[in-house]
């Protein structure tokens, strides 16, 4: 059988999606189903004086209305922060209570107050209008840089400061700066984004009173974690009687990691009324209530010596957590961010502070890349400025400072096992025809366009896992992954993974791995995920971890299958297990032509008795069946890296920026399916370009989200992109047997810096993201452009 | 309530319906044709695109009441006797989909483009698909799929 790993194989999951047979949560309808509609705060900050739902209760079709009082009475717990950060003074971060239905106060527009359950959606919606909430409206703060100066929005959290985090050696860094020959400074705003998975969140609760089983269908990236949290903290239902099904999910990008108030409330409401309850977010609700991402304000300084070598890095960041702290809200701007600030440069001293602040905005959390795009943006902007200020070529300055030897222990956290940074930069320079850039610049000038070029040479720490490491720095759980490989008696294979696919193509990639390992055709391999009643406990999909961690768990389970198969084959072939080789689906007795296929072995494992002439094929002490489970916990993160080179054209009159050329060369270690990896990169780049040029979540002075529809929040569309050129280099990861490093977030991590460096190169002066026509036009004007001034 | 006669994926349907019901709701809730998705509330995302009398429309902003006598084709209706439409095949071949949520609308828009322009340029494809948002693919695989389908149809 030809090697499946490394081959461009079309996806197994495509046909259902292409023919309209996908089954997303909103597509599910249950008998006797009811509909829910949430009452949300129209104010950014207010005290709740009274929630009067008496009129709503009497409205046609209404079955029940649940409020903050109901959940308190039924002892439903609030939402949690899953990863606690310790401040530099040794104190734990401060987390305000986060009830699933607000009782005393609301803290952002869209905060959840009550839910109406009715026979039809229309009735629920109409009755929601009749829930009368009286508020005492208070002053609010939404801006990141104003939060610490504003009155406390949560009782007992002074200066709205959740934590004041420090990473690095301040003394050593100060010393590096005192000896520096040159110090480069940048001020950066990392704009707030809204993840915008195309499938809006949805949930259906289905309580079965006779078996006391509760099922929640929900669009989630990690159903087992959801169940754990909802059982242990929200006290919705005991874990062993609680099933979470996350069927086809229309994109996640981090926004479907959290257990949301709606999940808890829908599950709870179904239990209360004893009927299924369905809720599907309207897009405007998604804008308001999905977790947002990014939203940093940063000052950074870089120290250089006279030999153009970087000697130190200092970064101070304020990260906006929004109104409450969600599951990964605190780790995202700290441990997922600060260590990554070093980029792929050999920097001997660094320190970074991060103030996590509360404001009256939607809570932020992981959004594709989570911390790493923010960090990459800082280092790649400042490195670009440094090269410019000392008059050195962008590529040359980077190469001069690249880490060259591996493994490399960085001065902050990570020990990078492998890489070759010159290799991907050289390849990208070649592929992008860098040497002729100045010609292209003058050609653009002839058309009246300002052309700019930008580099972004990035790395990321992914395969987010090593449990010992993550738990030592505050994670509430270990991030190993599980797999179960189950041979059925007829020879086909069901593989259960704790990872979850919501576009990542696990049905195909994982089947390729199993197919190669076990010598089974991929048509006969089924990858099962997304149902807590089916597979073993798993941690889900985020942080580009599914292949490196989840894929490895599958490999390990396959190894166990082969080991058991050898014992059975030995008995059947009259040999010793150590004399059995396994290759391409066959167990072969050494130095003989005796062999058994893995299908025959599987069948034998299910027929262990004696029947007529057939003797049991199972050796003494070997259990029947052919099912193996494995839990994999890697020793280290994996470290993909790459080089992006972007060219833009700016219209000097209008300020409009057009992406005209984009080149990517990535090192993802072993690539299982290039077709799928390319897709991850293109999609990632598009999101990064979105952040750089178009997307911005905006709150006005009164705290209203003014970008709560696709008319006001600019999503990148097909006509915003040129063809993206893509190639690879490969240094395999050493922390997992596949050699895979992860590819899901790379594009989003690298692209904003590449694009903005190009924009700033074209404009000739600083511009903050997103580089909208208006902002660029103003920058040009400020920079003395005559045309822009017209 | 009004009564309408409508042909959906070749099947004649006569029904009494409320006059404010949208085509997307009708397809999804009354006919269980859930391949047509709803991704927004402002007619901006294109996940709901179907063909109405052969032209692509956003079903989330089309009243069924206005479709009396019309012929509607949804994503469920373009395969031929179980054989996928060349556009569906091309999306598969070029990895034009990931999570699949935008896909039905995207395919229906693309099929309509090729009806109106047999051999579109890359820019024409990108411009045409401007009304369909995909958050996953970065559009590159989609554009490649449409080009390839054009060469095969
Ligand atoms: S649902 Fe978004 S355009 Fe129709
Ligand atoms: S494939 Fe997910 S939105 Fe397009």
């Amino acid at each position: 059988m030809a090697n499946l790993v490394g081959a461009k194989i079309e996806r197994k999951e495509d046909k259902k999606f292409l023919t309209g047979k996908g089954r997303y949560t909103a597509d599910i309808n249950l008998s006797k189903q009811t509909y829910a509609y949430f009452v949300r705060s129209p104010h950014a900050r207010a005290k709740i004086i009274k929630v009067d739902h008496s009129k709503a209760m009497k409205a046609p079709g209404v079955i029940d209305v649940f409020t903050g009082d109901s959940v308190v009475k039924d002892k439903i717990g609030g939402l949690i922060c899953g990863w606690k950060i310790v401040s530099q003074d040794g104190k734990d971060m401060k987390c305000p209570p986060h009830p699933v239905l607000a009782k005393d106060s609301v803290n952002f527009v869209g905060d959840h107050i009550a839910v109406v359950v009715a026979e039809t959606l229309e009735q629920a919606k109409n009755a929601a209008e009749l829930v009368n909430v009286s508020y005492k409206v208070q002053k609010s703060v939404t801006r990141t840089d104003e939060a610490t100066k504003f009155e406390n929005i949560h009782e007992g959290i002074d200066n709205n400061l959740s934590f004041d985090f420090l990473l690095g050696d301040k003394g050593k860094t100060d010393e590096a700066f005192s000896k520096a020959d040159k110090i480069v400074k940048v001020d950066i705003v990392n704009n707030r984004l809204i993840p915008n998975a195309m499938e809006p969140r949805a949930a259906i609760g289905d309580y079965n009173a006779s078996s006391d089983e509760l099922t929640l269908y929900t669009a989630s990236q990690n159903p087992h974690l959801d169940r754990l949290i909802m059982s242990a903290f929200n006290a919705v239902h005991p874990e062993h009687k609680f099933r979470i099904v996350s069927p086809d999910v229309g994109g996640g990008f981090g926004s479907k990691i959290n257990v949301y108030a709606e999940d808890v409330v829908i599950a709870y409401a179904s239990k209360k009324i004893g009927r299924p309850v369905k809720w599907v977010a309207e897009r405007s609700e998604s804008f308001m209530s999905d977790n947002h991402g990014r939203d940093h304000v940063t000052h950074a300084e870089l120290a250089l010596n006279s030999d153009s070598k970087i000697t130190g890095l200092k970064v101070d960041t304020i990260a906006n957590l929004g109104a409450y702290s969600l599951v990964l809200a605190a780790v995202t701007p700290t441990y997922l961010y600060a260590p990554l600030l070093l980029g792929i440069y050999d920097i001997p001293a660094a320190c970074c502070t991060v103030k996590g602040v509360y404001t009256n905005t939607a809570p932020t959390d992981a959004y594709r890349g989570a911390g790493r795009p923010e960090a990459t943006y800082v280092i790649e902007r400042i490195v670009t400025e440094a090269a410019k200020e000392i008059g050195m070529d962008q590529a040359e300055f980077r190469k001069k400072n690249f880490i060259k030897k591996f493994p490399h222990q960085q001065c902050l956290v990570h020990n990078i096992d492998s890489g070759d940074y010159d290799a991907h930069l050289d390849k990208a320079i070649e592929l992008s025809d860098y040497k002729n850039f100045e010609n292209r610049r003058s050609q653009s000038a002839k058309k009246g366009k300002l052309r700019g070029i930008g580099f972004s040479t990035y790395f990321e720490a992914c395969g987010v896992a090593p449990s010992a490491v993550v738990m030592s720095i505050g994670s509430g759980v270990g991030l190993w992954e599980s797999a179960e490989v189950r041979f059925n008696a007829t020879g086909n294979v069901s593989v259960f993974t704790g990872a979850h696919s919501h576009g990542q193509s696990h049905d195909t990639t994982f089947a390729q791995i199993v197919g190669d390992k076990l010598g089974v055709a991929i048509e006969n391999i089924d990858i099962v995920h997304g149902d807590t009643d089916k597979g073993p406990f798993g941690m889900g999909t985020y942080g580009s971890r599914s292949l490196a961690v989840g894929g490895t768990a599958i490999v390990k389970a396959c190894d166990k299958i082969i080991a058991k198969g050898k014992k059975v084959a030995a008995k059947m072939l009259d040999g010793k297990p150590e004399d059995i080789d396994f290759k391409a689906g066959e167990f072969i007795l050494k130095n003989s032509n005796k062999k058994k296929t893995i299908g025959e072995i599987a069948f034998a494992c299910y027929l262990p008795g004696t029947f007529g002439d057939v003797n049991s094929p199972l050796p003494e002490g070997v259990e029947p069946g052919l099912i193996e489970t494995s839990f994999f916990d890697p020793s280290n993160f994996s470290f993909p890296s790459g080089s992006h080179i972007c060219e833009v054209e700016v219209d000097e009159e209008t300020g409009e920026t057009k992406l005209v050329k984009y080149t990517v060369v990535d090192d993802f270690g072993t690539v299982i399916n290039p077709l799928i990896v390319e897709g991850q990169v293109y999609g990632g780049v598009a999101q990064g370009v979105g952040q750089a040029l178009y997307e911005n979540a905006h709150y006005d002075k009164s705290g209203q989200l003014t970008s709560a529809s696709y008319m006001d929040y600019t999503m990148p569309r097909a006509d915003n992109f040129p063809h993206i050129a893509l190639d690879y280099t490969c240094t395999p990861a050493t922390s997992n047997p596949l050699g895979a490093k992860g590819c899901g977030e790379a594009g989003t991590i690298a692209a904003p810096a590449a694009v903005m460096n190009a924009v700033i190169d074209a404009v000739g002066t600083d511009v903050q993201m997103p580089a909208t026509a208006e902002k660029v036009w103003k920058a040009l004007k400020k920079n003395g452009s005559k045309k822009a001034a017209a | 309530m009004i009564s309408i006669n409508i042909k959906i994926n070749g099947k004649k349907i006569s029904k009494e319906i409320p006059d404010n019901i949208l085509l997307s709701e009708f397809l999804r809730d009354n006919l269980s044709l859930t391949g047509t998705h709803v991704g927004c509330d402002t007619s901006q995302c294109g996940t709901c695109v179907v063909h109405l009398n052969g032209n692509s429309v956003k079903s989330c902003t089309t009243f069924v009441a206005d479709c009396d006598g019309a012929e509607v084709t949804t994503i469920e209706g373009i395969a031929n006797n179980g054989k996928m439409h060349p556009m569906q095949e091309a999306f598969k071949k070029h990895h034009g989909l990931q999570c699949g949520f935008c896909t039905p609308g995207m395919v229906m828009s693309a099929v309509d483009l090729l009806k109106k322009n047999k051999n579109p340029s890359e820019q024409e494809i990108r411009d045409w698909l401007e009304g369909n948002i995909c958050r996953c693919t970065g559009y590159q695989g989609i554009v490649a799929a449409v080009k390839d389908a054009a060469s095969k149809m």
Side-chain angles (χ1 to χ4, degrees):
Chain A
M1 186 180 302
N3 266 1
L4 297 168
V5 168
K8 276 198 175 193
I9 290 178
E10 291 178 23
R11 298 200 317 165
K12 293 178 65 164
E13 48 270 75
D14 279 347
K15 191 167 179 191
K16 67 171 170 180
F17 294 131
L18 281 163
T19 52
K21 306 274 179 342
R23 191 164 177 260
Y24 302 87
T25 303
D27 300 339
I28 298 170
N29 290 303
L30 303 176
S31 104
K32 294 177 68 195
Q33 173 174 289
T34 64
Y35 296 82
Y37 196 82
F38 282 84
V39 177
R40 297 176 185 277
S41 170
H43 304 294
R45 183 168 171 238
K47 291 266 172 250
I48 297 176
I49 297 169
K50 192 168 178 224
V51 180
D52 177 2
H53 59 278
S54 52
K55 269 207 195 117
M57 280 299 278
K58 287 186 217 125
V62 169
I63 299 157
D64 213 337
V65 178
F66 301 101
T67 63
D69 284 330
S70 339
V71 292
V72 167
K73 203 169 113 239
D74 288 317
K75 302 202 170 52
I76 296 297
L79 301 174
I80 60 157
C81 172
W83 193 317
K84 296 256 163 79
I85 292 303
V86 178
S87 288
Q88 31 180 321
D89 61 6
K91 294 207 178 101
D92 281 349
M93 68 180 282
K94 298 191 179 94
C95 300
H98 189 182
V100 291
L101 291 173
K103 192 170 155 298
D104 305 314
S105 66
V106 284
N107 285 294
F108 69 98
V109 169
D111 212 347
H112 19 86
I113 298 171
V115 67
V116 179
V117 181
E119 296 292 343
T120 71
L121 179 59
E122 206 179 350
Q123 288 170 334
K125 248 175 151 173
N126 289 341
E129 300 267 311
L130 303 175
V131 175
N132 190 358
V133 186
S134 9
Y135 301 96
K136 180 172 179 282
V137 179
Q138 295 170 289
K139 281 193 296 179
S140 61
V141 63
T142 59
R143 281 184 61 124
T144 313
D145 53 357
E146 288 171 1
T148 56
K149 291 161 237 157
F150 191 76
E151 66 189 49
N152 296 354
I153 62 176
H154 296 294
E155 217 181 282
I157 302 183
D158 289 339
N159 306 318
N160 299 313
L161 188 64
S162 175
F163 56 81
D164 187 0
F165 171 84
L166 168 76
L167 187 71
D169 187 331
K170 191 168 178 309
K172 215 172 141 198
T173 310
D174 285 342
E175 199 189 318
F177 274 81
S178 70
K179 290 191 191 137
D181 292 305
K182 165 117 196 124
I183 293 173
V184 181
K185 302 178 183 179
V186 294
D187 284 290
I188 281 170
V189 176
N190 203 294
N191 42 328
R192 177 181 277 248
L193 304 177
I194 302 177
N196 270 303
M198 289 316 295
E199 178 212 14
R201 284 190 295 118
I204 306 172
D206 182 17
Y207 180 64
N208 180 332
S210 103
S211 62
D212 189 34
E213 283 170 332
L214 177 63
T215 303
L216 180 70
Y217 299 86
T218 177
S220 165
Q221 299 177 220
N222 30 249
H224 278 98
L225 271 184
D226 280 11
R227 186 179 65 167
L228 173 66
I229 292 171
M230 288 171 73
S231 298
F233 297 95
N234 309 118
V236 174
H237 207 61
E239 202 175 2
H240 66 304
K241 289 281 191 186
F242 197 178
R243 172 183 180 203
I244 296 197
V245 181
S246 180
D248 290 328
V249 173
F253 315 114
S255 70
K256 291 170 182 168
I257 294 174
N258 270 281
V259 168
Y260 283 92
E262 293 87 352
D263 294 317
V264 177
V265 171
I266 293 301
Y268 158 79
S270 170
K271 248 178 110 167
K272 290 294 282 186
I273 69 164
R275 286 173 63 182
V277 180
K278 179 171 184 173
W279 169 76
V280 180
E282 294 177 355
R283 179 56 62 182
S284 52
E285 278 184 290
S286 299
F287 272 108
M288 277 191 289
S289 68
D290 286 5
N291 71 249
H292 292 182
R294 321 283 191 250
D295 202 342
H296 290 190
V297 174
T298 294
H299 175 76
E301 301 191 4
L302 192 73
L304 303 178
N305 68 16
S306 57
D307 184 31
S308 313
K309 284 278 229 187
I310 302 170
T311 55
L313 174 70
K314 251 196 258 185
V315 178
D316 297 300
T317 292
I318 307 172
N320 193 336
L321 304 178
Y324 307 97
S325 28
L326 296 181
V327 170
L328 301 176
V331 70
T332 296
T334 53
Y335 284 110
L336 294 181
Y337 167 73
L340 275 289
L341 287 164
L342 295 170
I344 56 178
Y345 309 102
D346 188 357
I347 302 178
C351 84
C352 167
T353 66
V354 182
K355 289 185 167 64
V357 297
Y358 292 113
T359 61
N360 298 111
T361 59
T364 60
D365 201 303
Y367 166 55
R368 199 173 193 174
R372 290 153 290 167
E374 296 90 315
T376 303
Y377 191 63
V378 172
I379 185 71
E380 287 305 302
R381 280 285 302 112
I382 203 165
V383 160
T384 301
E385 284 311 306
K388 238 190 266 172
E389 286 187 25
I390 62 173
M392 205 164 155
D393 174 73
Q394 288 296 333
E396 205 184 315
F397 179 72
R398 282 175 165 79
K399 280 191 190 175
K400 176 142 201 168
N401 285 286
F402 277 168
I403 296 162
K404 301 274 199 261
K405 284 206 201 83
F406 300 90
H408 173 88
Q409 176 61 57
Q410 291 191 311
C411 72
L412 289 175
V413 172
H414 290 302
N415 191 322
I416 305 176
D417 60 339
S418 68
D420 182 347
Y421 303 147
D422 279 11
H424 54 65
L425 181 51
D426 283 338
K427 209 166 188 178
I429 285 173
E430 187 67 37
L431 192 60
S432 67
D433 188 28
Y434 179 48
K435 67 174 187 301
N436 290 313
F437 170 71
E438 288 304 330
N439 292 343
R440 293 194 291 279
R441 191 175 336 237
S442 20
Q443 263 154 27
S444 297
K446 277 185 209 141
K447 293 187 293 180
K449 301 275 159 80
L450 300 167
R451 193 172 185 117
I453 190 164
F455 283 69
S456 176
T457 48
Y458 77 97
F459 89 124
E460 57 160 323
C462 60
V464 173
S467 299
V469 181
V470 297
M471 294 192 70
S472 75
I473 55 178
S475 173
V477 290
L479 293 175
W480 42 265
E481 195 46 89
S482 66
E484 181 180 310
V485 175
R486 192 184 294 173
F487 251 100
N488 302 306
T490 52
N492 50 28
V493 185
S494 308
V495 178
F496 299 85
T497 170
H500 187 278
S501 182
H502 29 280
Q504 291 84 347
S505 322
H506 296 164
D507 291 18
T508 306
T509 314
F510 287 175
Q512 285 176 260
I513 295 172
V514 175
D516 268 2
K517 272 305 272 188
L518 301 180
V520 175
I522 59 171
E523 303 76 56
N524 295 330
I525 301 168
D526 193 26
I527 306 295
V528 185
H529 58 78
D531 185 338
T532 57
D533 262 13
K534 289 188 178 165
F537 194 101
M539 291 301 171
T541 287
Y542 37 81
S544 305
R545 66 192 296 278
S546 293
L547 181 58
V549 192
T552 302
I554 293 175
V555 168
K556 300 227 153 211
C558 289
D559 285 339
K560 291 186 187 172
I561 293 268
I562 295 166
K564 177 164 180 183
K566 282 185 178 175
K567 285 188 203 159
V568 178
K571 166 112 196 266
M572 294 174 81
L573 300 173
D574 287 328
K576 291 196 202 113
E578 52 277 26
D579 291 332
I580 304 286
D581 288 330
F582 179 71
K583 224 182 124 199
E586 291 179 330
F587 292 92
I588 306 159
L589 181 64
K590 271 190 194 130
N591 306 318
S592 82
N593 55 5
K594 293 209 268 180
K595 56 186 180 189
K596 289 277 172 201
T597 65
I598 194 163
E600 290 173 304
I601 296 294
F603 190 65
C605 285
Y606 286 93
L607 288 176
T610 306
F611 183 78
D613 307 340
V614 183
N615 277 325
S616 172
L618 293 188
E620 198 135 335
V622 172
E623 292 172 5
L626 192 55
I627 299 175
E628 296 290 350
T629 302
S630 177
F631 291 76
F632 179 64
D633 199 348
S635 54
N636 195 356
F637 295 85
S638 57
F639 302 97
S641 66
S643 296
H644 288 211
I645 302 176
C646 171
E647 292 179 30
V648 298
E649 275 185 346
V650 172
D651 185 316
E652 206 176 340
E653 273 172 42
T654 63
E656 203 185 324
T657 300
K658 193 152 177 52
L659 200 66
V660 288
K661 195 166 160 62
Y662 202 98
T663 308
V664 181
V665 178
D666 287 311
D667 176 0
F668 293 139
T670 308
V671 167
I672 308 291
N673 186 335
L675 191 66
I676 288 167
V677 169
E678 279 164 26
Q680 290 293 313
V681 175
Y682 300 141
V685 167
Q687 285 180 335
V689 170
Q691 166 160 34
L693 296 181
Y694 309 112
E695 299 178 39
N696 194 35
H698 180 260
Y699 285 93
D700 71 8
K701 279 217 174 71
S702 68
Q704 292 298 322
L705 180 64
T706 55
S707 57
S709 83
Y710 287 136
M711 303 208 273
D712 307 294
Y713 186 92
T714 316
M715 294 283 278
R717 296 181 185 246
D719 59 342
N720 298 135
F721 297 95
H723 185 84
I724 295 169
L726 173 64
D727 208 340
Y728 305 102
T729 58
C730 176
T731 60
T734 61
S735 52
N736 66 72
L738 291 165
K741 292 186 170 177
C743 67
E745 296 162 295
T748 315
I749 289 170
V755 176
M756 289 309 292
N757 283 333
V759 171
I760 292 166
D761 183 48
V763 173
T765 184
D766 196 23
V767 183
Q768 299 286 1
M769 296 191 289
T772 56
E774 185 194 351
K775 262 198 231 162
V776 170
W777 184 82
K778 280 185 180 151
L780 283 164
K781 198 168 152 184
K782 201 169 135 212
N783 205 29
S785 159
K786 301 233 162 60
K787 281 195 194 160
Chain B
M1 298 293 269
I2 62 161
S3 78
I4 54 135
N5 295 298
I6 187 168
K7 208 181 195 186
I8 294 185
N9 297 333
K11 214 169 111 196
K12 277 195 193 136
I13 293 170
S14 302
K15 251 193 157 90
E16 285 277 300
I17 51 149
D19 28 6
N20 63 354
I21 190 170
L22 297 164
L23 182 54
S24 54
E25 296 170 334
F26 183 65
L27 293 169
R28 291 180 54 81
D29 301 341
N30 296 45
L31 304 177
S32 295
L33 291 170
T34 54
T36 298
H37 295 155
V38 175
C40 75
D41 42 18
T42 51
S43 197
Q44 287 276 314
C45 75
T47 59
C48 62
V49 169
V50 299
H51 293 177
L52 180 64
N53 296 325
N55 294 311
S56 53
V57 296
K58 290 181 168 166
S59 63
C60 72
T61 24
T62 305
F63 284 119
V64 185
D66 292 337
C67 300
D68 193 29
E71 229 178 277
V72 172
T73 309
T74 71
I75 190 69
E76 289 92 344
I78 60 167
N80 195 349
N81 277 329
K83 197 176 151 7
M84 288 207 291
H85 187 277
M87 186 64 76
Q88 290 169 311
E89 286 293 351
F91 266 66
K92 184 163 189 285
K93 180 164 162 214
H94 295 277
H95 193 27
L97 64 151
Q98 292 180 20
C99 78
F101 198 81
C102 72
T103 309
M106 205 57 99
V107 168
M108 296 311 279
S109 289
V111 168
D112 190 28
L113 165 65
L114 296 193
K115 275 195 209 156
K116 302 196 157 100
N117 180 350
K118 295 244 161 327
N119 192 14
S121 67
E122 168 155 354
Q123 196 54 49
E124 284 170 328
I125 297 171
R126 289 182 180 276
D127 290 344
W128 178 270
L129 294 179
E130 183 266 345
N132 293 75
I133 304 176
C134 174
R135 192 51 149 174
C136 297
T137 63
Y139 306 100
Q140 189 138 319
I142 294 173
V143 173
V146 180
K147 258 197 230 163
D148 192 24
S151 74
K152 301 228 165 80
M153 281 164 66

